[in-house]
Amino acid sequence: MGRKLLLEKAHVPGIRSYDVYRREGGYRSVEKALKTMSPDQVTEEVKKSGLRGRGGAGFPAGMKWSFLAKPEGVPRYLVCNADESEPGTFKDRYLMEFIPHLLVEGLIVSSYALGSNKTFIYIRGEYAWIVDILEQAIAEAKNNGFLGKNILGTGFDLEIYVQRGAGAYICGEETALLESLEGKRGNPRIKPPFPAVKGLWDSPTVVNNVETIAAVVPIINITGEEYAKIGVGKSTGTKLISACGNINKPGVYEIDMTISVEEFIYSDEYCGGIAHGKKLKACIPGGSSVPILPANMLLKTAKGENRMMNYESLSDGGFATGTMMGSGGFIVLDEDQCVVRHTLTLARFYRHESCGQCSPCREGTGWMEKILKNIEYGKGKKSDIDLLWDIQRKIEGNTICPLGDAAAWPVAAAIRHFRDEFEWHVQYPNAAQNRNYGLAHY
Ligand code: NAI
């Protein structure tokens, strides 16, 4: 059984309430940080911990914090990205819903380190019921002296505001999120400047994912050095994985990044194997944007080693034979699933969610969906497969934000690893079409 740092108390009855959370040791990190450490010492602990951003990019959190510009007289902000929208990803939802005070606690310590007196949680509109849960937790923390003016008599002031998004995936991209928070249409900004220099209302801003902020609590409690000993290499600490698809036990699991992918899928502690005794066909281990891998490449790296559930091992081999940890949205496909159909579903999502600002993404996502639809419906030509490959190449790297890449990579990986399946659809159009009973809404 791996070590649990975030979800250990998530199922203690009543843990959503301040009283139970506090009784279970909650808010100790706030007392420790605010009363015995300077803001820079807190940042130093996060750096020592090796914590990497849990939203998907895996950028070192302490390094991001140390990039925060500190001009005299200019406010600084911490913004928590709770706009979790990556298909297959529902770990932040779980954390906020079951143990909301952990996020509030992490936000207080992180805001103190960064010098943010007004901190925002930007949460996806569809998580409406969680807004109530968070606001309740914030009110309780305030009533108990952990928020508001002069917290614990230390002179530090903090208010936390919850802002709901309106259902756009693009608003999870950090600069689109800031635009939306400012009340504008959520179009991504060109980076640099990074938010750490010019963010919310042009002020220096750190944008961190929910899980990243929550991880600050155990880091302060056990020290950065101890946290860095959990896990392996540059994959320190624990990681939440939301597992879904054709498995026996879908759910959110906290892993310490030393287990193999095979163990994660087949062990009863985690996914419990493939549902209905079927065989594993493929998996997208890090949310819909990361490349799909066929079973053989998923379980073993190109060097023949067991592939492990961590940043380095999942990306071993680059996109030729590897994939990415991403947001930890682990989507499993059994032997009956059609990769063309699956890729079409994703292409449809990215076409719908493209903000339309950059033409390669706006036009390209639409073309990819149309071509995939033709192939899946038995109207495709062999040359369509090369055309699809060509279009995704022209999107990748040619857009302001990573939505373009996120739309291109699944298509590229599907063709790279499952070209025969695309060719089968073209060669046997009737057989492919007859399977399409579930696509009436397209
Ligand atoms: P990124 O690699 O551009 O940036 C990562 C973070 O580091 C950002 O906060 C950025 O501001 C900061 N950063 C990088 N270089 C910096 C510098 N020189 N100075 C200051 N700050 C710097 O990646 P991005 O766009 O933030 O995230 C992309 C990832 O998001 C994808 O890999 C995908 O897995 C994930 N994603 C997650 C979703 C979810 O629902 N959790 C939804 C969609 C995508």
Side-chain angles (χ1 to χ4, degrees):
M1 176 85 92
R3 188 156 175 191
K4 307 271 178 283
L5 297 176
L6 303 178
L7 300 183
E8 190 191 0
K9 308 273 172 154
H11 296 293
V12 171
I15 196 75
R16 258 192 209 158
S17 74
Y18 172 84
D19 290 342
V20 177
Y21 184 74
R22 183 80 172 131
R23 195 187 67 214
E24 292 291 327
Y27 289 101
R28 267 188 303 135
S29 72
V30 176
E31 290 171 317
K32 183 173 174 184
L34 269 62
K35 287 185 173 169
T36 69
M37 298 166 80
S38 70
D40 285 349
Q41 281 172 327
V42 176
T43 302
E44 203 46 44
E45 284 306 308
V46 175
K47 268 193 189 164
K48 276 192 213 155
S49 74
L51 173 68
R52 295 170 67 168
R54 303 300 200 219
F59 193 83
M63 192 189 293
K64 195 197 274 192
W65 285 17
S66 60
F67 285 157
L68 187 71
K70 295 179 178 158
E72 247 341 271
V74 178
R76 304 192 281 277
Y77 297 109
L78 169 62
V79 175
C80 173
N81 188 345
D83 194 67
E84 179 174 62
S85 314
E86 183 83 336
T89 312
F90 45 92
K91 63 182 180 76
D92 296 337
R93 177 179 89 181
Y94 193 91
L95 198 149
M96 292 187 287
E97 185 170 356
F98 291 104
I99 187 157
H101 279 285
L102 186 68
L103 176 60
V104 176
E105 181 174 354
L107 283 169
I108 300 168
V109 175
S110 307
S111 300
Y112 170 71
L114 298 165
S116 169
N117 302 113
K118 285 195 177 92
T119 284
F120 299 86
I121 302 173
Y122 185 96
I123 185 164
R124 66 178 293 186
E126 295 87 340
Y127 285 176
W129 79 101
I130 300 177
V131 174
D132 298 338
I133 294 173
L134 289 175
E135 283 183 339
Q136 170 81 16
I138 290 167
E140 286 177 344
K142 195 165 180 176
N143 287 340
N144 286 281
F146 285 103
L147 282 172
K149 293 244 172 263
N150 193 20
I151 299 170
L152 304 179
T154 59
F156 176 60
D157 304 336
L158 175 64
E159 296 293 343
I160 299 177
Y161 302 95
V162 183
Q163 175 64 46
R164 261 179 82 182
Y169 171 73
I170 194 63
C171 289
E173 194 283 328
E174 59 176 0
T175 59
L177 185 158
L178 296 176
E179 288 284 298
S180 173
L181 201 49
E182 291 178 8
K184 296 181 238 156
R185 184 190 161 98
N187 278 356
R189 301 173 183 168
I190 291 174
K191 295 193 280 189
F194 288 96
V197 174
K198 199 173 172 196
L200 189 60
W201 297 298
D202 287 348
S203 284
T205 304
V206 163
V207 183
N208 276 148
N209 170 260
V210 169
E211 186 188 345
T212 313
I213 299 279
V216 172
V217 174
I219 289 170
I220 296 305
N221 282 337
I222 66 173
T223 76
E225 218 172 321
E226 281 304 307
Y227 184 90
K229 287 182 191 158
I230 303 163
V232 59
K234 289 186 179 162
S235 299
T236 62
T238 62
K239 174 84 191 83
L240 298 184
I241 305 287
S242 56
C244 61
N246 307 118
I247 46 175
N248 283 317
K249 289 172 60 195
V252 175
Y253 299 99
E254 184 169 6
I255 61 162
D256 72 3
M257 296 198 266
T258 58
I259 61 166
S260 69
V261 176
E262 189 164 0
E263 187 184 345
F264 184 69
I265 295 178
Y266 291 102
S267 129
D268 278 342
E269 195 182 331
Y270 303 106
C271 302
I274 308 300
H276 309 298
K278 303 261 179 195
K279 287 200 196 100
L280 169 69
K281 173 173 182 173
C283 174
I284 306 164
S288 62
S289 311
V290 314
I292 188 170
L293 279 188
N296 59 335
M297 287 184 192
L298 176 77
L299 302 180
K300 298 269 180 210
T301 66
K303 294 171 212 145
E305 292 163 357
N306 282 341
R307 202 182 283 281
M308 310 301 285
M309 292 286 289
N310 62 52
Y311 290 92
E312 289 77 26
S313 188
L314 283 168
S315 57
D316 190 84
F319 284 177
T321 56
T323 176
M324 286 164 79
M325 170 68 99
S327 58
F330 198 87
I331 309 169
V332 177
L333 277 66
D334 73 19
E335 58 190 318
D336 291 345
Q337 305 309 315
C338 167
V339 169
V340 175
R341 176 175 172 177
H342 165 83
T343 312
L344 168 60
T345 306
L346 293 185
R348 181 171 180 259
F349 171 80
Y350 289 111
R351 189 265 305 148
H352 184 257
E353 297 298 338
S354 171
C355 77
Q357 200 178 192
C358 311
S359 15
C361 177
R362 182 186 63 239
E363 303 299 325
T365 51
W367 277 105
M368 290 199 301
E369 185 196 2
K370 272 184 213 154
I371 296 166
L372 278 160
K373 204 159 136 184
N374 277 344
I375 298 175
E376 173 64 358
Y377 269 116
K379 293 179 196 144
K381 303 191 287 286
K382 201 156 184 224
S383 60
D384 283 343
I385 305 170
D386 294 326
L387 182 60
L388 200 52
W389 179 264
D390 200 42
I391 293 171
Q392 66 77 22
R393 286 289 301 271
K394 290 195 166 78
I395 300 174
E396 187 192 2
N398 291 320
T399 55
I400 290 174
C401 86
L403 193 143
D405 295 346
W409 291 344
V411 172
I415 299 176
R416 187 179 290 121
H417 301 307
F418 295 94
R419 195 179 178 102
D420 55 340
E421 215 163 301
F422 284 82
E423 286 171 352
W424 182 85
H425 277 70
V426 172
Q427 202 177 345
Y428 303 104
N430 292 335
Q433 210 178 350
N434 286 341
R435 279 187 319 96
N436 285 334
Y437 50 86
L439 284 177
H441 61 287
Y442 275 95

